[in-house]
Amino acid sequence: MSEAQGSGLNIAHAAPVQASRSRRWVIVASLFLFMVINFADKAVVGLVAVPLMHDMQLTHAQFGLVGSAFFLLFSLSGVGLGLFVDRVDVKWLLAGLALTWAVAQLPLAWPVSFAVLLACRVLLGAGEGPAAAFALHVAYTWFDDRERNLPTTFIQLGATSGVIIAGPLLTWVTGRWDWHAAFLALGVVGVLWTLLWLCVGKTGNAGRGTAGDSASAMPHHHVPAPRVAVDPRTRVSYRRLLADRTVIGVLLQCFVGYAVIAIGLTWVPAYFRVGLGFDATQAGNLFGLQVATQIPVGIALAVFSHRLLKRGVTTRRARGTLISVACVVSGIAYCMLYSGASPLAKVGLLSVAFALASQVFTFGPLLIAEIAPTAQRGALLAITNSIVTTAGLIGPVSMGKLLGVAGDHVGYETGFAIAGALLILTGIAGFALLDPQRSRQNLQTAA
């Protein structure tokens, strides 16, 4: 073959590779928007809590039930659809989920009964149950294991951005019209994203032939431990997967983390108004600012972890230890709300605590995807996500009951302190349990 012919073949080969690299970031950007809508949908009830409770004459306990109703079918739909995600085209599953969100929001654009409000939140929860896991699963079909930190963080920051955008924007919409208009806006946005995804959505085929999907992601000298080649069709019983030490550690941290997220989305805006004395506009802006803290924190931890991996640090240290430290620090910050700090200082403590606790949803899926057999990765991501999100049933309604006893700032801060203590405990447990290298060896033996 002549040099010219060889050069022509190299150029022809480089073109589709470059196109594939560009396409995968288009997918990530679309999934980022998917998560923006996902969390705006979650946050809207908390943002309109005061006028909604006033208009519908709801008690704290009833509003806590509204927050928890969202999670009634959340976990069940995650498990049910998760068992099929590796067997069907996820493009159509994501489109169906987004359309379900829109259908659940639109009835609330008009006056409704308490029963209809509950039903719409239950339907929304059923549609959002597997959403985060499926979005990450699609991204992981485009990136090998050691390339996943940044796309995972970017997609998860869509959740952060959804709350940031929802805070001031939906507060403005509610003030300009009423709280029903906020639900109408979210329903329309859900339909628009569905149309976008049908145009650009697609799965990739990265990492089909190695355990952990990472053997080809980096030069050999950067890989701290040898990885055993495995048939991508290899399967391990789900009982064995769920009993693995790393999976248990992720479940513990993410369960408590999700309780914190659910409480935050449902009750923090009300805490800013009732507990700390801010007006509606200030509360909406501060809530968005608090959630925005996740962006620099999430990016910093993802970049730091990625650099550790490039230096040859094991994923046990670069991911497991790092997220466990974050849980402990977050828990301490929540407990410090009991101090006699000023309202703005308490907003700062909440921002740090919330940002660090939220990182379990970046590092948890990374650890799960690292050890899961390729053929079961999507299902295991969905199943573990469904298990931990049952915390959403417990968190908001528990806080509502607590506030029924002590409705001022003391009640709120007691609930946050309890969550903080649990974060500290799960962080300590993570130091011992999160060991993906050992888990991968054990699961390979079982396979």
Side-chain angles (χ1 to χ4, degrees):
M1 178 182 293
S2 69
E3 182 177 345
Q5 289 174 317
S7 175
L9 287 175
N10 288 336
I11 293 173
H13 176 70
V17 170
Q18 183 63 35
S20 177
R21 288 183 175 275
S22 300
R23 179 64 178 271
R24 65 183 185 173
W25 286 107
V26 170
I27 297 297
V28 169
S30 301
L31 295 173
F32 170 85
L33 294 175
F34 181 73
M35 294 303 295
V36 167
I37 301 168
N38 182 285
F39 267 73
D41 284 345
K42 287 183 175 72
V44 63
V45 164
L47 291 168
V48 302
V50 174
L52 185 152
M53 292 174 68
H54 177 269
D55 288 355
M56 299 189 68
Q57 299 182 345
L58 303 183
T59 65
H60 283 102
Q62 286 177 312
F63 186 72
L65 182 60
V66 171
S68 292
F70 174 85
F71 299 97
L72 185 63
L73 297 180
F74 193 95
S75 300
L76 292 176
S77 69
V79 172
L81 292 176
L83 294 175
F84 296 97
V85 67
D86 293 307
R87 296 177 172 86
V88 298
D89 189 343
V90 191
K91 171 181 178 177
W92 295 102
L93 279 178
L94 289 185
L97 293 179
L99 195 58
T100 300
W101 307 347
V103 170
Q105 299 287 42
L106 290 174
L108 301 178
W110 293 271
V112 294
S113 66
F114 181 62
V116 172
L117 174 61
L118 287 178
C120 287
R121 296 305 287 179
V122 170
L123 177 61
L124 182 65
E128 294 199 354
F134 287 5
L136 292 175
H137 175 56
V138 171
Y140 293 165
T141 67
W142 290 91
F143 295 87
D144 291 318
D145 179 49
R146 288 176 178 257
E147 297 178 299
R148 290 175 183 162
N149 277 35
L150 293 180
T152 299
T153 299
F154 191 64
I155 292 170
Q156 296 288 32
L157 286 179
T160 305
S161 301
V163 180
I164 294 170
I165 295 169
L169 183 58
L170 295 181
T171 299
W172 177 82
V173 168
T174 301
R176 177 66 177 79
W177 289 281
D178 59 19
W179 60 269
H180 296 286
F183 290 96
L184 176 61
L186 289 173
V188 172
V189 169
V191 173
L192 293 176
W193 185 89
T194 304
L195 296 175
L196 170 68
W197 180 249
L198 291 176
C199 294
V200 304
K202 185 180 179 182
T203 55
N205 53 16
R208 293 293 185 181
T210 57
D213 296 351
S214 60
S216 63
M218 298 185 64
H220 179 70
H221 67 277
H222 282 145
V223 181
R227 303 205 174 204
V228 181
V230 60
D231 188 320
R233 295 169 296 180
T234 296
R235 304 183 76 87
V236 180
S237 72
Y238 285 104
R239 183 175 66 178
R240 182 64 180 267
L241 288 170
L242 293 172
D244 174 74
R245 58 185 293 150
T246 298
V247 174
I248 291 173
V250 169
L251 288 174
L252 287 173
Q253 291 185 347
C254 289
F255 185 88
V256 175
Y258 206 90
V260 169
I261 297 298
I263 290 171
L265 292 176
T266 304
W267 289 111
V268 164
Y271 170 59
F272 286 164
R273 294 190 63 178
V274 178
L276 299 183
F278 296 106
D279 63 33
T281 300
Q282 290 173 326
N285 291 336
L286 287 173
F287 182 61
L289 183 62
Q290 174 219 296
V291 177
T293 308
Q294 292 182 62
I295 295 178
V297 170
I299 292 174
L301 289 180
V303 170
F304 182 57
S305 174
H306 183 68
R307 288 180 176 175
L308 290 177
L309 292 173
K310 289 184 69 176
R311 293 173 186 170
V313 176
T314 64
T315 51
R316 180 182 186 184
R317 302 299 180 195
R319 291 173 178 166
T321 300
L322 189 60
I323 189 55
S324 297
V325 170
C327 286
V328 172
V329 176
S330 173
I332 292 172
Y334 273 119
C335 292
M336 288 178 65
L337 289 171
Y338 254 128
S339 66
S342 67
L344 284 178
K346 290 182 177 181
V347 172
L349 286 170
L350 267 177
S351 299
V352 172
F354 193 80
L356 289 173
S358 300
Q359 301 313 309
V360 297
F361 301 106
T362 294
F363 287 87
L366 285 169
L367 290 164
I368 294 294
E370 181 182 352
I371 68 172
T374 304
Q376 295 170 278
R377 182 180 60 213
L380 188 60
L381 283 169
I383 290 170
T384 52
N385 183 70
S386 297
I387 292 172
V388 303
T389 52
T390 57
L393 281 168
I394 301 170
V397 73
S398 298
M399 179 68 91
K401 290 183 179 297
L402 184 61
L403 292 172
V405 177
D408 59 5
H409 68 93
V410 175
Y412 287 101
E413 290 162 12
T414 299
F416 292 136
I418 293 171
L422 293 174
L423 279 168
I424 293 171
L425 291 175
T426 57
I428 293 171
F431 293 127
L433 293 173
L434 299 177
D435 189 349
Q437 284 73 41
R438 182 181 297 181
S439 293
R440 195 166 49 247
Q441 292 172 1
N442 291 340
L443 293 175
Q444 179 62 27
T445 301

